């Protein structure tokens, strides 16, 4: 990647990267994968004149979460960059993180008291409904805004989960998040006090301890959620911003907070008010097409149907994508890449390690090797099977944005 | 590989890894390889519903010995782990090594004396027959059991070769084996005295020197084998045990000492009294199938026929394997992998650098890409061409033994 740094060349060429989340799959109906089963005339035509292949999101056999999956596509090595649990949770609920933030994931929990000592009875407070969670977070926000000069930012997640960010006056270091989880992992034990592994972390741990005590006080009369457990203390990874690293002005067109958060981590501009449909994403792409030269368009539903094991649903969203694709083709991007961040095979109802089909359309391809954009057809393509982290250099090259290396 | 460490998940799924030693080949009769020429109905069916591809044992263009070939399959990087010549020799003759051992390969040699100085006349003692070797080793064992508190373990190899292990009272370090070979490489020179490159190695070298002198005394009246030369001083590499590294209880079903030795190096349990036929290996697999969850089954003859350049012999053993394979299929292992440790092409009569066909059968594959388990058909498969060291993560993933990486 070091060699790339000196090769970046800016030009007007436009790159569109469409991520069909979890698109890769395994045989389902009639021995076909959703991509194989779906009727996709537009994708078929495109595949025939594109470079095709497979990317390996992280490594052989490794099933990536959304974080590592997207980092790879964005050209950052997912094996070297750790996104902490707390940071990911914050991104997932739509919080924006700064260099002054320590993020942790919170769980509402139920405790009983032995004297003054809390004893965990339910680590998830009976999985309270999200509405109750929201009521409690409002209550906490009113009472806890700042602790020893540290701003406290709270946001509800689903059921018993919430996100807490401690925003310090100054930049925080990676080490200052080295604090244990307070969840004792089993019931009938007291919560663990947060302890820092070093001096800066101790400072954060003291704030966290006060936060926990304040929460216990505010929640004292709640029937179920009368305590909070914190885990995954982390700071946002320090990354060379995408625009600097690759010399492009990048726009993120994504609906879900998690993917917006991941794009913001690498410094992409986030487009606000993106709708949840494929059509609205592509309309937004058209509207802003002249303002940027790299577009990350995230489409979620392929993954959701995969997670549900809903083969027909995944087929339908692929067919919908195929119909809407004409909107993208009309814009004639110099480089169009369609792929996924990982596979989410319907039979597995979850992410998997399987390599992911990739298609790169540009004038500079061999083409004629894959008849369709499917797992088995992409295997015949000119790109072979390559690490996801190498996709960005490939896209830049096809867009004429990389100079010759050496003379 | 560090990321793998935190992803290991134990479950009951069973993985069978069958290594057809040296199975990969080049075109022979009718332009077909032995795998292509052989009639293999069972393998053909299996290949159609399996993930297929090629592994590269060590690196492109690198011809592996049995040690590196197997280390890669076992998930240890063969470029980073050195198995010394003495250690390999000891494993090959069936000695089990501990952390207190320095192993060396011995050659019986012929010397004449100029005064007290031995001068090498034949570095291999005229390649004495193995039976003579065994007689001499018995003679040495009677006279030399211990030197300065160090136990001396001897075992015959073939012809002029033998293995010697110096077993110290305490654990020995890697550096303590940094001792030169005593073989002067040409005749009419005195043997080189063993010298250590550092203090702990000097201690070992002094023991080795006394051993050589004792041997010379015991062998004084032998006509040919009246001296010994030592080479390849080495200690067994320190490896994270297989069971710990991959979270499986592993059984080695191998007949030949070398492969048993390699499996024991990584800490697999060795099954005793394995017969030399494919049938007996598979019967043993059946018998112990419920007691372990990872099985390394080694089949040697594919390699032996390759070394002999015996195309028909290799075809026959592949066909025998295909017939016996039903015994394995009946056990319905969750993951079945068939591959080799390297190629041994008949036209080359030796190991080669060529990538090796791999087949992984599990419910979580695309399949339908290779019609047979042959070199040219495996090239069409979904696994592509990958480093052998990545096979274990792939097998674990297919067995559901790896957690998701990142959220």
């Amino acid at each position: 990647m070091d060699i790339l740094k000196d090769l970046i060349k800016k030009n007007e060429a436009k790159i569109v990267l469409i991520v069909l989340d979890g698109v890769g799959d395994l045989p389902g109906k009639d021995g076909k994968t959703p991509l194989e089963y779906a009727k996709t005339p537009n994708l078929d035509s495109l595949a025939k004149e594109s470079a095709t292949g497979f990317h390996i999101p992280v490594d052989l056999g490794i099933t990536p979460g959304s974080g590592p999956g997207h980092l790879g596509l964005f050209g950052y090595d997912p094996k070297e960059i750790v996104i902490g649990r707390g940071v990911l949770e914050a991104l997932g609920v739509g919080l924006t993180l700064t260099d002054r933030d320590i993020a942790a994931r919170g769980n509402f929990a139920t405790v009983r008291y032995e004297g003054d000592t809390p004893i965990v009875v339910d680590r998830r407070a009976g999985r309270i409904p999200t509405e109750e969670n929201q009521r409690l977070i409002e209550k906490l926000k009113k009472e806890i805004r700042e602790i020893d000069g540290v701003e406290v930012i709270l946001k509800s997640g689903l059921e018993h989960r919430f996100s807490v960010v401690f925003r310090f006056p100054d930049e925080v270091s990676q080490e200052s998040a080295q604090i244990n989880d307070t969840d004792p992992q089993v019931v009938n034990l007291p919560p663990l006090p947060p302890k820092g592994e070093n001096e800066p972390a101790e400072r954060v741990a003291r704030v966290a301890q006060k936060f926990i005590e304040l929460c216990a006080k505010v929640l004292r009369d709640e029937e179920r959620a009368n305590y909070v457990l914190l885990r995954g203390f982390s700071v946002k990874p320090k990354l060379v911003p995408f625009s600097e690293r690759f010399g492009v002005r990048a726009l993120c067109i994504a609906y879900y907070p998690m993917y917006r958060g991941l794009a913001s981590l690498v410094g992409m501009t986030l487009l606000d008010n993106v709708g949840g449909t494929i059509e609205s994403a592509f309309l937004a792409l058209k509207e802003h097409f002249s303002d940027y030269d790299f577009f990350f368009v995230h489409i979620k539903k392929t993954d959701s149907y995969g997670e549900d094991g809903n083969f027909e649903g995944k087929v339908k969203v692929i067919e919908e994508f195929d119909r809407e694709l004409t909107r993208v083709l009309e814009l004639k991007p110099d480089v169009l890449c369609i792929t996924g961040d990982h596979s989410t095979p319907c039979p597995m109802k979850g992410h998997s390690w399987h390599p992911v089909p990739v298609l790169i359309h540009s004038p500079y391809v061999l083409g004629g090797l894959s008849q369709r954009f499917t797992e088995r057809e992409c295997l015949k393509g000119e790109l072979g099977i390559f690490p996801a982290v190498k996709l960005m250099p490939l896209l830049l090259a096809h867009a004429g944005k990389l100079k010759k290396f050496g003379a």
Side-chain angles (χ1 to χ4, degrees), chain A residues 9-171:
Chain A
K9 184 169 83 181
K10 295 188 184 185
N11 67 17
E12 295 298 306
K14 290 185 189 295
I15 302 173
V16 174
L17 168 62
I18 302 179
V19 176
L20 294 165
D21 203 304
V23 72
D25 214 298
L26 291 170
K29 214 168 165 183
D30 301 349
K32 291 178 178 175
T33 69
L35 278 173
E36 289 172 341
Y37 196 87
K39 293 203 179 6
T40 55
N42 292 317
L43 266 174
D44 296 356
S45 306
L46 194 66
K48 282 175 201 154
E49 49 186 49
S50 295
T52 53
F54 267 84
H55 76 73
I56 297 171
V58 175
D59 208 341
L60 288 160
I62 304 299
T63 295
S66 299
H70 278 82
L71 278 183
L73 294 180
F74 295 163
Y76 296 81
D77 190 341
K79 283 189 284 194
E80 288 178 10
I81 296 159
V82 179
I83 304 179
R85 186 85 233 173
V87 167
L88 206 71
E89 190 75 14
L91 300 179
V93 298
L95 291 174
T96 307
L97 296 174
T98 75
D99 291 339
R100 300 180 287 123
D101 297 347
I102 305 272
R105 171 173 159 178
N107 276 10
F108 285 111
T110 315
V111 296
R112 62 182 162 80
Y113 285 90
E114 285 184 3
D116 283 345
T117 307
I119 305 289
V120 176
V121 175
D122 187 325
R123 294 167 54 232
R124 297 183 188 87
R127 290 190 185 272
I128 49 167
T130 304
E131 295 69 35
E132 191 175 336
N133 178 324
Q134 286 164 347
R135 176 180 65 79
L136 297 168
I137 288 292
E138 284 312 309
K139 201 168 159 182
L140 291 174
K141 276 165 98 170
K142 252 178 232 157
E143 304 293 328
I144 313 169
R145 300 196 172 176
E146 195 232 273
I147 297 170
D148 296 344
V150 177
E151 189 185 350
V152 177
I153 299 159
L154 290 163
K155 192 148 182 188
S156 291
L158 296 176
E159 299 179 334
H160 55 288
R161 300 177 194 92
F162 67 89
S163 180
V164 56
V165 172
F166 301 112
R167 183 161 292 166
F168 285 74
D170 309 306
E171 194 168 321

Side-chain angles (χ1 to χ4, degrees), chain A residues 148-261:
Chain A
D148 296 344
V150 177
E151 189 185 350
V152 177
I153 299 159
L154 290 163
K155 192 148 182 188
S156 291
L158 296 176
E159 299 179 334
H160 55 288
R161 300 177 194 92
F162 67 89
S163 180
V164 56
V165 172
F166 301 112
R167 183 161 292 166
F168 285 74
D170 309 306
E171 194 168 321
V172 291
S173 64
Q174 196 88 34
E175 305 85 63
S176 58
Q178 290 179 346
I179 299 168
N180 62 282
D181 295 350
T182 72
D183 185 339
Q185 293 295 330
V186 286
V187 292
N188 290 322
L189 281 179
L192 303 166
K195 280 203 201 312
E197 290 184 20
N198 49 59
E199 186 39 50
E202 253 312 308
R203 180 177 155 226
V204 178
R206 280 193 294 272
V207 174
Q209 180 58 39
K210 285 190 186 175
F211 170 73
I212 292 166
E213 285 164 13
L214 283 168
C215 288
K217 214 164 121 186
V218 175
L219 301 174
R220 185 121 215 168
D221 298 330
E222 292 292 332
E223 215 172 302
R224 293 190 287 186
N226 66 352
Y227 210 82
V228 302
L229 302 171
L230 301 182
R231 4 189 253 176
F233 287 88
S234 41
V235 301
K236 108 189 170 117
K238 296 214 190 324
L239 303 172
V240 179
F242 194 81
S243 57
E244 193 181 307
R245 190 172 168 89
F246 300 118
V248 291
R249 295 163 302 157
L251 182 68
C252 161
I253 302 176
Y255 176 69
Y256 285 86
M258 173 69 79
Y259 312 98
R260 297 172 63 82

